[in-house]
Amino acid sequence: MSLEARVPQQDRSRATRQRLLEAAIDCLATVGWSGSTVAVVAERAGVSRGATQHHFPTREDLVTAAVEHISSQRIDALRASLADLPAGPARVETVVGMIGEMYSGTMFRAALQLWVAASSDEQLRAKVVPLEAHVGREAHRLTVEALAADEVKPGVREAIQATLDLARGLGLANLLTDDSKRRARVLAEWTRMLEDVLTAS
Amino acid sequence: MSLEARVPQQDRSRATRQRLLEAAIDCLATVGWSGSTVAVVAERAGVSRGATQHHFPTREDLVTAAVEHISSQRIDALRASLADLPAGPARVETVVGMIGEMYSGTMFRAALQLWVAASSDEQLRAKVVPLEAHVGREAHRLTVEALAADEVKPGVREAIQATLDLARGLGLANLLTDDSKRRARVLAEWTRMLEDVLTAS
């Protein structure tokens, strides 16, 4: 096969893989862990069982790749939104809002299914824990950068960690009902409290 | 049957029911939602299938009762611990620590399994949502009381809600690894920030 013919085929293969991963995340977020079998994901992706098995021989392979995909997507999404920040006093408010976004929506729902499944599955836990630690570190680092926060100041490091923990808790509160109005009020007050910590001398 | 004979039997029946509910919570927290079948719970409780079916004819009945049991246990545990609070400056720290406790451990793990299962199960969601709203309101009310907080002051209501959301997020962070050291640091800083809001004029 010529190089010209191989490249598009690689592209197609990559696109198929991508479609399967996105279908896996979508499945996790909507039908939950136990409903997200290889067959269900393949059908949702519109990919044949054969092609699916070529990419992901087992459910474990598919899920692991989906975990990695979710992790890098969550970090990329945060990085992209933090790269384009307004200057001035609205900055803290904007950053807090973006972190709130990171822990709501489809990606968070899918990740939550994985965490909870991993809590009673040793093998899955062994894969999820290092990835989640990586996401946590990156989210923290990006937040510190975006806020130009001085972590040497007392309380600053903990207040930024608390921002991520709070957002995770708000994501959970939003799981079964639309909690967006209450969340907006909580995050507004949180922004004010965080600004106090960041600007304290 | 005489009244004397009936009463102990009622006691035994109540004790059996209680044992089944506690086994259900324990199962949810350790083997997760899909592993928590009626048969598994009955075996863990050491109760025969017949007696189990007498109390809970279907898995739905058992789970619903377990949800209610978890809810009232979580509130009772918080109420009991808040009833015996120290006075003085350590009060906020103690209350924050107790709320942190409420969202970690077996009860939180079991509740988390229910929330996540309910997110892709309409029937279960219909039962979990009102119970969870009740727990949320009670936890908020008890916290306001324990802190003698004045919710008319700007930000106080939201800061107390944030305390509960933060604790929920910390509970999630503690699901797959022991996060207790980091949690203690985050809650210490949060206590300081909350004290500022509560004492601001």
Side-chain angles (χ1 to χ4, degrees), chain A residues 5 21 24 27 40 51 57 71 82 98 103 117 127 140 151 155 159 167 169 176-177 185 188-189 195 200-201:
Chain A
L21 292 177
C27 272
V40 167
S71 304
L82 292 177
M98 284 170 177
Y103 289 95
K127 292 184 195 297
H140 184 91
E151 290 198 286
L176 300 180
T177 52
R185 288 195 298 271
E189 174 60 15
E195 277 167 348
S201 56

Side-chain angles (χ1 to χ4, degrees), chain A residues 17-93:
Chain A
R17 191 172 187 279
Q18 182 78 5
R19 238 180 23 251
L20 285 166
L21 292 177
E22 274 158 19
I25 292 168
D26 199 37
C27 272
L28 281 171
T30 53
V31 300
W33 175 259
S34 57
S36 299
T37 62
V38 174
V40 167
V41 172
E43 202 192 321
R44 185 172 299 219
V47 172
S48 72
R49 285 304 296 272
T52 301
Q53 293 225 316
H54 167 73
H55 285 282
F56 304 107
T58 67
R59 189 189 190 198
E60 178 87 343
D61 296 320
L62 175 58
V63 165
T64 309
V67 177
E68 288 178 344
H69 189 65
I70 290 178
S71 304
S72 57
Q73 292 269 92
R74 282 164 68 212
I75 289 300
D76 289 351
L78 186 65
R79 189 180 289 118
S81 55
L82 292 177
D84 198 30
L85 277 181
R91 196 173 174 92
V92 177
E93 188 186 345

Side-chain angles (χ1 to χ4, degrees), chain B residues 148-201:
Chain B
D150 179 4
E151 290 198 285
V152 173
K153 279 191 194 173
V156 166
R157 185 175 172 75
E158 289 75 19
I160 289 174
Q161 291 192 355
T163 306
L164 296 164
D165 290 309
L166 174 66
R168 204 184 289 117
L170 288 168
L172 204 45
N174 197 52
L175 184 66
L176 300 180
T177 52
D178 179 3
D179 190 45
S180 49
K181 281 185 190 164
R182 191 189 70 89
R183 180 175 61 208
R185 287 196 299 271
V186 170
L187 287 179
E189 174 61 16
W190 173 253
T191 298
R192 218 196 43 66
M193 292 169 80
L194 181 60
E195 276 168 346
D196 278 357
V197 174
L198 294 174
T199 57
S201 58

Side-chain angles (χ1 to χ4, degrees), chain A:
Chain A
M1 200 186 286
S2 72
L3 181 66
E4 287 72 19
R6 266 208 312 279
V7 172
Q9 196 191 323
Q10 284 177 356
D11 284 352
R12 276 201 305 279
S13 175
R14 204 176 294 124
T16 300
R17 191 172 187 279
Q18 182 78 5
R19 238 180 23 251
L20 285 166
L21 292 177
E22 274 158 19
I25 292 168
D26 199 37
C27 272
L28 281 171
T30 53
V31 300
W33 175 259
S34 57
S36 299
T37 62
V38 174
V40 167
V41 172
E43 202 192 321
R44 185 172 299 219
V47 172
S48 72
R49 285 304 296 272
T52 301
Q53 293 225 316
H54 167 73
H55 285 282
F56 304 107
T58 67
R59 189 189 190 198
E60 178 87 343
D61 296 320
L62 175 58
V63 165
T64 309
V67 177
E68 288 178 344
H69 189 65
I70 290 178
S71 304
S72 57
Q73 292 269 92
R74 282 164 68 212
I75 289 300
D76 289 351
L78 186 65
R79 189 180 289 118
S81 55
L82 292 177
D84 198 30
L85 277 181
R91 196 173 174 92
V92 177
E93 188 186 345
T94 310
V95 171
V96 167
M98 284 170 177
I99 293 170
E101 288 298 305
M102 189 185 168
Y103 289 95
S104 65
T106 302
M107 221 98 85
F108 174 74
R109 282 168 188 270
L112 185 59
Q113 293 283 344
L114 284 174
W115 296 336
V116 168
S119 76
S120 54
D121 179 333
E122 278 303 323
Q123 274 191 300
L124 190 60
R125 184 201 302 246
K127 292 184 195 297
V128 172
V129 165
L131 283 165
E132 200 46 40
H134 174 69
V135 172
R137 275 196 307 272
E138 280 296 289
H140 184 91
R141 198 180 58 73
L142 287 169
T143 308
V144 169
E145 254 179 57
L147 295 170
D150 179 4
E151 290 198 286
V152 173
K153 279 190 193 173
V156 166
R157 184 174 172 76
E158 289 75 19
I160 289 174
Q161 291 191 356
T163 305
L164 295 164
D165 289 310
L166 175 66
R168 204 185 288 117
L170 288 168
L172 204 46
N174 196 53
L175 183 65
L176 300 180
T177 52
D178 179 3
D179 190 45
S180 49
K181 281 186 190 164
R182 191 189 70 89
R183 179 174 62 208
R185 288 195 298 271
V186 170
L187 287 179
E189 174 60 15
W190 174 254
T191 298
R192 218 195 44 67
M193 292 169 82
L194 181 61
E195 277 167 348
D196 278 358
V197 174
L198 294 174
T199 57
S201 56

Side-chain angles (χ1 to χ4, degrees), chain B residues 15-110:
Chain B
T16 300
R17 191 173 187 278
Q18 182 78 6
R19 237 179 26 251
L20 285 165
L21 292 177
E22 274 159 19
I25 291 168
D26 198 37
C27 271
L28 280 171
T30 53
V31 300
W33 176 258
S34 57
S36 298
T37 61
V38 173
V40 167
V41 172
E43 201 191 322
R44 185 171 297 218
V47 172
S48 71
R49 285 303 297 272
T52 302
Q53 293 225 316
H54 166 72
H55 284 283
F56 305 107
T58 67
R59 190 189 188 199
E60 179 86 344
D61 296 321
L62 175 58
V63 165
T64 309
V67 178
E68 288 178 343
H69 189 65
I70 290 178
S71 304
S72 58
Q73 292 270 93
R74 282 165 67 212
I75 289 300
D76 289 350
L78 187 65
R79 190 180 288 118
S81 55
L82 292 178
D84 198 30
L85 276 182
R91 197 175 174 91
V92 176
E93 187 186 346
T94 310
V95 171
V96 167
M98 284 171 177
I99 293 170
E101 286 299 305
M102 188 185 168
Y103 289 96
S104 66
T106 301
M107 221 98 84
F108 174 75
R109 282 166 188 272

